[in-house]
């Protein structure tokens, strides 16, 4: 139920350049925050809150997950290519009728001043 019929297309237009994942798969997300999106939509004439933006994105199949780490290490140069490859493989398997399982794992890293070499 959109009170503003142009809201959904405008929102999808904003996230489209930064959409990650396949629109037909459950692996779909954006790197933009709901607050940033709401502010841009308001500048475009669509008065909307970040909560409404989040609701519309969920209805469109987006997963809304916030970042946890505030200090990050260097990013691998092929990171986006890696995710594009995984997404392409998932699409091919789904098209063939095969199941796809998404597993999120983390590399073990020594973080900040909390390094512990196994000693007390």
């Amino acid at each position: 139920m959109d009170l503003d019929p142009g809201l959904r297309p405008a929102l999808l237009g904003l996230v489209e350049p930064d959409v990650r994942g396949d629109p037909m798969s459950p692996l779909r997300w954006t790197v933009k925050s709901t607050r940033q999106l709401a502010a841009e939509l308001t500048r475009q004439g669509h008065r909307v809150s970040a909560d409404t933006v989040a609701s519309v994105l969920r209805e469109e199949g987006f997963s809304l997950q916030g970042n946890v780490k505030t200090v990050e290490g260097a990013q691998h140069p092929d990171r986006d290519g890696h995710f594009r490859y995984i997404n392409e493989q998932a699409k091919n398997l789904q098209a063939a009728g095969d199941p796809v399982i998404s597993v999120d794992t983390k590399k073990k890293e020594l973080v900040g001043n909390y390094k512990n070499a196994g000693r007390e």
Side-chain angles (χ1 to χ4, degrees):
M1 165 174 103
D2 290 335
L3 298 177
D4 176 356
L7 174 63
R8 189 175 303 263
L11 174 58
L12 294 176
L14 286 175
V15 297
E16 186 60 36
D18 293 314
V19 168
R20 306 291 192 247
D22 176 9
M24 299 308 291
S25 84
L27 308 173
R28 191 171 183 211
W29 69 97
T30 181
V31 296
K32 295 182 179 178
S33 78
T34 55
R35 285 191 180 104
Q36 291 171 335
L37 292 167
E40 179 57 31
L41 288 166
T42 299
R43 278 192 289 278
Q44 292 180 9
H46 305 280
R47 292 190 62 203
V48 65
S49 70
D51 288 342
T52 301
V53 167
S55 294
V56 173
L57 287 174
R58 276 190 213 96
E59 289 170 7
E60 290 293 324
F62 282 81
S63 172
L64 303 179
Q65 300 173 1
N67 291 332
V68 176
K69 287 172 60 175
T70 57
V71 178
E72 294 191 18
Q75 217 169 306
H76 192 278
D78 292 330
R79 183 175 189 270
D80 285 338
H82 178 75
F83 284 109
R84 280 193 294 274
Y85 171 79
I86 291 170
N87 189 54
E88 190 62 33
Q89 294 301 310
K91 286 189 328 189
N92 291 339
L93 289 166
Q94 286 177 329
D98 293 327
V100 176
I101 298 173
S102 174
V103 178
D104 185 14
T105 63
K106 303 289 183 247
K107 176 183 172 189
K108 291 185 179 184
E109 296 181 12
L110 301 176
V111 179
N113 296 328
Y114 302 105
K115 178 180 176 184
N116 182 346
R119 299 181 191 161
E120 291 184 5

